[in-house]
Amino acid sequence: MNRILPLNNLPVNYSPALSNLKLNPNKPYTISMKSVDSIQKIGQAADPEIIPAKMLLSLLKCGLNDDAKIDEKLFQGRTKEDWIRLNNLAVDNAVAPTVFNGLEKNPNIKAPEEVAANLKESKEYAKKYHGLQEKLLGEFSDFTKSKGIDTVQMKGIGFSMNYPDPTARFGGDIDVYNFKHGTNPADPKNSVSLLVDQLAEKNGIEVTGKEYYKHSHIDYKGMPIENHRKFLDVKISPLHQKMNDYLFKHLKPVEETLPHGTKILVPSKEFNNVFIPFHAMAHFVNKGINFHHLADWAVQVKKHGLNIPEEVKGTKLEDFMYAFTNLANKHLGTNIKVPENKKLENEIFDKMLHPEKYEIDNIPKPKHKNPVSLVVYKYKKIAENTARQNKYWGNNITVTQACFKSFVEHLKHPTTFVRLFTRFK
């Protein structure tokens, strides 16, 4: 028999494998969710009209808003299977702790004991993990500060302080940007990202992906840290480059105090006004978007309102921001009047509930790993990716141009070129 989906099965596209995180090198930091062996795991909701999805969104809205009212009739007569479906959706979307907060605010709504216990344990784990992230981020920031470097933490734990219950906002890795203390962070020339990589390695900290132009990966005491050179994948489209320039201009770090008193630097609200929806849009286009991203956006616009910068107007991002805002209005308690785009809104929402339908890599892998088969496979992937980027980012490039661009990038980094013929990406 299967059991309720455990917390350490969170999708890896936005969260690390939690069971691999450690409080210290010799003791794995894990959580043991309660088994419900008598109940088979129920699949995810099929579409926006499925009751468990509505139940989840209603509780999530209550968890995010103290003044939100719930329709108790929605929960009357629901089966244990409905509740298990809700639990699995909540875990898949990394919103279980906030959903549990919504459940606690509504004592008249009774979840099955097993489901309530799992949602509660998810919240307890999220709180512990939040504290672990605060501790390690504080240490890392002190380390860079001792070298004359300021560290700015983007989204994640820093952004969680905009939530009514910060520790219920589950985070994955830690994204940072480093610049030389006393200089203007808006000038990319003041970035010391590469220097931080070097300093980390000198102190015995593992660093991978140093050749990647956007960010490297620093494994600090088991906590994955993305050390950014750029905020966005600027080579994907002109829109990425344009918005990356905007983000540098509006970084304007401010001090934030985390729950245990650790002081860190976080970006301005103007930065988050673009970075949060752009990050969500990137997941929508490439990796799969979910309620976790929608909750972040709802929190952002409720606290700071919606402002469409001049640099965004007339772009695909503007369309996405309006659609995402309307979804937040409909499901998570915001109330900001924006133009409607039902087609895009439905596509976004359907993708949140049907991630299995939108797998990016649906090109069958070749049975034989010979060079010709691998090149053909790579070509088909590039063709699919090019069509998607042309549609959503407003690009206008041919598959031939995209192949040439990929070839040049592999030549710049020979190790990645060799991997093309030795393993699948």
Side-chain angles (χ1 to χ4, degrees):
M1 287 289 190
N2 291 321
R3 64 189 183 109
I4 288 182
L5 196 63
L7 190 65
N8 59 13
N9 273 11
L10 280 169
V12 296
N13 61 352
Y14 63 89
S15 297
L18 301 186
S19 59
N20 291 334
L21 294 179
K22 301 175 181 179
L23 286 173
N24 63 60
N26 300 314
K27 183 179 180 182
Y29 187 63
T30 60
I31 184 169
S32 176
M33 298 297 283
K34 296 177 176 61
S35 296
V36 189
D37 294 330
S38 60
I39 309 169
Q40 289 189 351
K41 174 180 174 291
I42 306 302
Q44 289 187 338
D47 59 53
E49 300 305 315
I50 294 291
I51 291 298
K54 290 184 175 181
M55 294 162 63
L56 180 149
L57 289 166
S58 185
L59 292 174
L60 182 59
K61 180 173 70 174
C62 286
L64 292 173
N65 305 277
D66 291 334
D67 56 350
K69 294 183 179 180
I70 202 164
D71 179 7
E72 294 184 4
K73 293 181 180 179
L74 178 62
F75 295 84
Q76 293 176 359
R78 299 305 163 202
T79 66
K80 190 172 289 188
E81 289 186 353
D82 288 333
W83 280 99
I84 294 175
R85 188 187 294 274
L86 177 151
N87 177 89
N88 293 343
L89 274 171
V91 171
D92 273 343
N93 287 266
V95 293
T98 306
V99 167
F100 180 74
N101 282 349
L103 186 62
E104 282 197 309
K105 291 180 181 179
N106 293 275
N108 291 335
I109 296 174
K110 304 296 183 182
E113 183 179 351
E114 303 97 324
V115 173
N118 275 272
L119 292 175
K120 181 179 180 181
E121 196 162 357
S122 295
K123 179 182 176 180
E124 292 172 350
Y125 178 82
K127 185 175 182 179
K128 292 178 183 178
Y129 186 66
H130 198 279
L132 175 64
Q133 282 202 320
E134 175 174 348
K135 176 179 181 293
L136 297 182
L137 175 59
E139 291 178 4
F140 186 81
S141 296
D142 287 343
F143 166 69
T144 58
K145 186 176 181 180
S146 70
K147 307 297 182 181
I149 296 169
D150 286 342
T151 292
V152 185
Q153 198 279 313
M154 296 103 68
K155 55 187 181 71
I157 187 171
F159 185 77
S160 75
M161 299 308 294
N162 293 288
Y163 273 64
D165 180 1
T167 64
R169 193 271 185 194
F170 187 82
D173 52 14
I174 297 176
D175 294 77
V176 299
Y177 177 73
N178 298 283
F179 66 98
K180 186 177 180 181
H181 179 72
T183 64
N184 179 11
D187 188 345
K189 293 179 181 178
N190 295 323
S191 170
V192 288
S193 177
L194 296 176
L195 175 60
V196 169
D197 284 349
Q198 295 170 6
L199 293 171
E201 287 188 312
K202 287 182 180 179
N203 283 268
I205 302 170
E206 182 182 2
V207 181
T208 57
K210 290 178 291 184
E211 73 280 0
Y212 185 30
Y213 72 90
K214 183 186 175 188
H215 58 68
S216 62
H217 288 90
I218 297 175
D219 184 355
Y220 183 72
K221 296 185 178 181
M223 179 65 66
I225 295 177
E226 288 190 355
N227 178 25
H228 283 254
R229 297 82 154 96
K230 308 286 186 181
F231 298 118
L232 305 175
D233 262 319
V234 296
K235 294 183 180 181
I236 289 180
S237 76
L239 179 59
H240 283 71
Q241 182 63 65
K242 183 179 181 181
M243 293 300 100
N244 191 72
D245 293 342
Y246 171 92
L247 293 173
F248 267 104
K249 181 180 178 181
H250 294 276
L251 180 60
K252 300 177 181 177
V254 295
E255 189 175 80
E256 180 67 85
T257 303
L258 299 179
H260 295 285
T262 303
K263 296 184 183 300
I264 62 170
L265 292 177
V266 297
S268 68
K269 62 182 181 181
E270 292 80 13
F271 178 99
N272 285 331
N273 186 57
V274 167
F275 189 61
I276 297 298
F278 201 106
H279 174 73
M281 185 176 177
H283 276 273
F284 168 66
V285 176
N286 295 312
K287 299 179 180 180
I289 191 170
N290 58 49
F291 297 139
H292 175 75
H293 303 112
L294 185 61
D296 274 358
W297 185 234
V299 168
Q300 169 70 14
V301 296
K302 182 174 182 180
K303 184 172 183 177
H304 300 293
L306 176 66
N307 174 47
I308 306 296
E310 287 299 320
E311 294 90 335
V312 173
K313 292 180 179 178
T315 69
K316 295 286 187 178
L317 177 60
E318 181 181 21
D319 296 338
F320 182 86
M321 290 173 73
Y322 289 148
F324 220 38
T325 302
N326 270 324
L327 288 173
N329 290 341
K330 182 177 180 181
H331 300 291
L332 296 184
T334 58
N335 184 22
I336 301 175
K337 189 173 180 59
V338 293
E340 290 188 346
N341 184 337
K342 290 295 185 182
K343 182 179 179 181
L344 181 56
E345 291 168 28
N346 290 339
E347 187 175 0
I348 295 170
F349 200 67
D350 188 58
K351 195 167 187 177
M352 286 193 275
L353 289 175
H354 296 274
E356 72 286 349
K357 286 169 51 179
Y358 298 91
E359 291 293 335
I360 296 304
D361 186 9
N362 57 14
I363 306 297
K365 293 180 179 179
K367 296 180 180 179
H368 305 290
K369 298 182 181 180
N370 58 68
V372 174
S373 297
L374 291 176
V375 169
V376 171
Y377 171 71
K378 179 72 172 179
Y379 175 85
K380 289 180 178 180
K381 287 186 65 177
I382 292 175
E384 180 188 56
N385 186 60
T386 301
R388 190 174 355 100
Q389 292 184 2
N390 285 344
K391 176 181 179 180
Y392 292 110
W393 296 123
N395 289 0
N396 186 24
I397 63 174
T398 65
V399 178
T400 300
Q401 291 171 325
C403 286
F404 179 76
K405 180 179 178 181
S406 177
F407 181 75
V408 170
E409 288 300 315
H410 282 304
L411 285 179
K412 289 180 180 178
H413 307 290
T415 56
T416 64
F417 190 75
V418 171
R419 287 202 299 270
L420 172 64
F421 298 98
T422 58
R423 67 176 178 85
F424 294 113
K425 289 187 174 182

